[in-house]
Amino acid sequence: ADAKEQAYYQINKLNNELKSFNEKISRVTNQASTAERTAREKEDTYNRDQAASKRKDELNAQLEKLSEEDRAFEKKIVPIRQELMRKESDRQSLREQNNMAEAVLSDAMNGFDRDVAKLQEIIEKVNYNVKQNTDKEIEDVEQRLAENVEEI
């Protein structure tokens, strides 16, 4: 019986040792699994960072290219803007000249209209005086005729 107990004790001890090994294996497996998952996550993060960095570099290169194009367009636009400003200045000068010419012509036209009005007034006065004088001359002629008739 002692040997039996010794065997049970040995079996129990070995079972406990096996259980301890299994628990350690389970912990190590869990740790390995966690470490593998963490490694995959870090690798994924690294890959995303690398892709983002590459994309950032591509976008920076594209931005630089667009900036160069923008500067080139600005250089091309400068003469056009200068020409536009010159044309606007010329247009403004022409408008001012036209306004001055219009004012001069308007004054001349107003003077002409006043002269025409004065001339019409003079003509009316002359016609009135001519008519008055004609009537007076007719009366004078009639009076002289009447005097001549009396004398005859």
Side-chain angles (χ1 to χ4, degrees), residues 63-119:
L63 179 62
E64 183 59 32
K65 180 181 174 188
L66 291 174
S67 294
E68 288 174 15
E69 288 178 6
D70 187 44
R71 287 188 292 274
F73 284 135
E74 282 297 324
K75 286 179 183 177
K76 289 179 181 179
I77 287 175
V78 167
I80 295 170
R81 283 187 180 148
Q82 289 173 345
E83 181 67 15
L84 178 63
M85 290 172 59
R86 189 183 62 75
K87 294 282 186 183
E88 286 177 356
S89 175
D90 290 350
R91 183 186 70 197
Q92 185 63 31
S93 295
L94 287 174
R95 280 189 177 165
E96 290 172 3
Q97 289 173 359
N98 286 342
N99 288 340
M100 287 191 291
E102 182 181 346
V104 168
L105 291 175
S106 179
D107 288 346
M109 185 67 173
N110 288 338
F112 180 74
D113 287 344
R114 284 191 300 275
D115 290 346
V116 167
K118 287 180 185 177
L119 187 58

Side-chain angles (χ1 to χ4, degrees), residues 49-59:
D49 287 348
Q50 290 300 311
S53 178
K54 182 179 177 184
R55 180 68 177 145
K56 179 183 172 188
D57 292 343
E58 290 170 357
L59 290 174

Side-chain angles (χ1 to χ4, degrees), residues 5-19:
E5 266 184 43
Q6 192 67 4
Y8 279 130
Y9 175 76
Q10 248 343 64
I11 289 174
N12 223 3
K13 184 179 172 187
L14 289 175
N15 279 339
N16 284 337
E17 208 174 296
L18 181 62
K19 180 181 170 190

Side-chain angles (χ1 to χ4, degrees), residues 115-127:
D115 290 346
V116 167
K118 287 180 185 177
L119 187 58
Q120 285 178 338
E121 186 181 324
I122 291 170
I123 289 172
E124 288 175 8
K125 286 181 181 178
V126 167
N127 284 339

